[in-house]
Structures are given as structure tokens and as C-alpha cells.
Amino acid sequence: MIRVIFGRDGNTGQLHIQANGKAQSLGNRQSVPESVSREHISFTVDDAGVMVVGNLNMENDTYVNGLNVEQKQVKKGDVILLGKDRYRLEWDTLAPFIPNFADIRPLKSVWDSYQQSLLDLLIKERRFNVLRSATGLLTMGAMVIGGMGVASGSCNSVRMFLYVLAFLVSGAFFVKAFLDSAKMPKLQREIQDEFSKNYVCPHCRHFMGNQSYDILSQSKGCPYCGAVYKK
């Protein structure tokens, strides 16, 4: 939560600002009318970026878009006037106290999609390895038949068939493995490039790295631009 107090410097007649335990005065001398008190309004910005103007004294007059208010949520562009003389508090004056915000909630789907893509690749590779083991089963079947000691022509034919089938299946898997040896790294690169392009700070567009969304959402803001996260 950011809280800033605006009013009139009683000695110089300038705009008096108190923020973070420090005070400063802005503008020309006697530029702020006496109808503005020393502590006239508070200007707060919460962690969600909601901005609120609050009167600090019942005797103060504060106007937002022409309406006299005690407390009012405001947005950039609203006209804020202080005192009966309606001194205008410019948004250029408020801007230094308004942090940048970055809504990181869409990054959750980016992270989840990235993890699912990696998981799909891993499952595909595991399934291929399981299927490739079928050549070993065919070879073992042929050896079992040969070890039965049956010399019939039909058994020899079956055994030969299994050996040939095992050879053909093994060759097919070899060809596929050879082709995938170039295809899989390219696919992994495409997944990583897409992730790096989209898993970025919404404000400064800096890549957030390979930290999970759960870890990212525990941070208060972007370490690169300082934008406060909306979660």
C-alpha cells in the first residue's frame, strides 16, 4: 500500500507532499491557495492498483470530477481539485507515486502449456521405447520354439518367420529413431522458443526464466523493471 499526503506548505505556499516519511514542496511560491490545508488529502494505491483520494479533515473541500467527496476511488484522467479555490492536483504530480503494475495471471496458462508439451514429448519417447522392445519379444519367441527340440517343419517355419519379423520390426524402429534424432531436438527447440517468447513480464517483456508460476507468483514484483504483480 502506498500512501501520500498532499496539502499546502504554510511557509512557502507551495504544494506540500509527504511520502515514505519524507516531505517535499513543489511548484512556485504561493502557487497553492490558502483554502488548501497543510494535510488536505491522502492519495493511496493498493497492491491491486486501486487509487483512492481521501479527505483528511471534514473542513476540507475536495472535488473529483466536479463532485465534493470525502473519499473517492479515482483513475488516471479524473479531475481532482483541492479547496474552495479548487486548486488542481495534476496527474503529472501523482505519477511518481503510482507504481507500474503487471498482471501475471495469464502466465499460468503459458507455464502449464509448456509443462504439458514437455510431458507429451517424454510420453511419446517412452512409448516408442516400449514398442521397440517388441523386437526382443519376437526374438525370444523364436528362441523358445527352437529350444523345444521339435524338428517339425512347421516349427522351423514359425521360428524363421519370427526371426524375419523381428529383423523387419527392428529395422523399422531403427529408421524411425534415426529420423527422430533430428526431429525431436527441433521440436524441443520450438517449444522452448515459444515459451521464452510468451513467459515474460507483461510490463517490460523480460523473460521470467524457468521458475514455475507458483514460485513466480510468490514474488511481489518484477526483478527487472520493478512492476508490481497483479495476481
Side-chain angles (χ1 to χ4, degrees):
M1 170 78 74
I2 295 173
R3 187 172 187 265
V4 188
I5 296 176
F6 291 92
R8 181 180 185 272
D9 189 315
N11 295 322
T12 65
Q14 296 173 287
L15 182 65
H16 184 72
I17 304 172
Q18 300 177 59
N20 300 320
K22 298 180 180 179
Q24 60 176 313
S25 296
L26 295 179
N28 298 326
R29 296 177 67 87
Q30 306 305 325
S31 59
V32 180
E34 293 184 1
S35 60
V36 177
S37 66
R38 181 174 177 81
E39 294 186 349
H40 198 97
I41 65 164
S42 65
F43 175 74
T44 60
V45 186
D46 67 15
D47 293 340
V50 177
M51 298 178 289
V52 176
V53 166
N55 228 350
L56 294 177
N57 192 310
M58 292 182 62
E59 297 179 357
N60 294 342
D61 290 302
T62 301
Y63 304 88
V64 175
N65 296 330
L67 298 177
N68 197 323
V69 301
E70 290 300 318
Q71 183 169 296
K72 177 69 174 177
Q73 182 176 327
V74 295
K75 62 182 184 301
K76 189 174 182 179
D78 286 345
V79 178
I80 303 172
L81 304 175
L82 309 182
K84 293 180 179 179
D85 296 300
R86 304 203 177 197
Y87 171 81
R88 181 162 182 162
L89 186 60
E90 301 291 349
W91 279 95
D92 286 345
T93 303
L94 297 172
F97 306 102
I98 304 174
N100 294 314
F101 287 90
D103 188 354
I104 64 170
R105 289 171 293 184
L107 296 185
K108 185 178 188 307
S109 62
V110 175
W111 175 261
D112 290 343
S113 178
Y114 172 65
Q115 292 298 305
Q116 186 61 52
S117 296
L118 294 181
L119 181 61
D120 290 343
L121 282 181
L122 180 60
I123 292 174
K124 184 177 181 180
E125 181 180 2
R126 294 284 178 84
R127 286 177 175 174
F128 175 76
N129 290 335
V130 170
L131 291 174
R132 188 163 56 181
S133 65
T135 57
L137 293 176
L138 293 174
T139 302
M140 289 179 61
M143 294 174 63
V144 168
I145 292 175
M148 293 173 62
V150 181
S152 65
S154 60
C155 287
N156 288 332
S157 298
V158 171
R159 183 175 58 180
M160 183 58 65
F161 172 76
L162 291 177
Y163 277 131
V164 172
L165 182 59
F167 175 79
L168 294 176
V169 171
S170 179
F173 278 115
F174 173 81
V175 172
K176 178 173 175 52
F178 178 79
L179 296 175
D180 286 349
S181 65
K183 181 179 178 181
M184 294 300 289
K186 290 181 179 179
L187 186 55
Q188 291 175 344
R189 170 64 68 177
E190 291 175 0
I191 293 173
Q192 183 63 46
D193 288 346
E194 184 71 13
F195 174 66
S196 300
K197 182 177 69 175
N198 295 318
Y199 200 61
V200 297
C201 170
H203 184 258
C204 68
R205 309 303 297 174
H206 196 287
F207 177 51
M208 303 311 298
N210 289 317
Q211 59 180 329
S212 70
Y213 176 80
D214 289 340
I215 294 177
L216 178 65
S217 62
Q218 293 175 14
S219 302
K220 184 177 180 180
C222 177
Y224 305 104
C225 68
V228 178
Y229 289 155
K230 286 185 178 181
K231 309 169 188 178

